[in-house]
Amino acid sequence: MNKTELVEKVAASAGLTKADSKKAIEATLCAIKEALAANDKVALVGFGTFSVNGRPAREGINPATKEKITIAAKKVVKFKAGAELSSAL
């Protein structure tokens, strides 16, 4: 399912127009993105939890040249599915 299909599904389920549904989805995604950028955790009860994890810098190997390289530290988004979502699958 892509974003357009999600907008259509939400609009049909909630009785909203597609424009209102798109605004609601974009606002939700923006709020989640802002919370994660501020290093907050976003917990949607029954659905799951989004959090930010840090990966430390590490040493890797360039597969083309077999040369050792340093891979920089970075932050990644982690999602842990909630109980209701897991049981629905």
Side-chain angles (χ1 to χ4, degrees):
M1 177 181 286
N2 62 29
K3 190 174 181 181
T4 304
E5 294 167 340
L6 179 62
V7 167
E8 291 172 2
K9 185 84 169 175
V10 170
S13 296
L16 300 171
T17 65
K18 288 182 185 177
D20 288 341
S21 176
K22 183 176 180 180
K23 287 178 189 176
I25 290 171
E26 287 178 354
T28 302
L29 295 177
C30 184
I32 291 172
K33 182 171 54 173
E34 288 173 359
L36 292 174
N39 241 4
D40 287 341
K41 187 186 293 189
V42 179
L44 304 173
V45 177
F47 182 73
T49 303
F50 295 92
S51 61
V52 178
N53 281 5
R55 286 193 183 161
R58 59 190 170 92
E59 195 172 273
I61 297 175
N62 181 338
T65 63
K66 307 296 184 213
E67 180 182 333
K68 289 187 177 186
I69 57 172
T70 301
I71 300 170
K74 67 179 183 175
K75 293 181 180 180
V76 294
V77 176
K78 178 182 171 186
F79 176 75
K80 183 172 184 337
E84 289 179 32
L85 179 61
S86 294
S87 66
L89 303 178

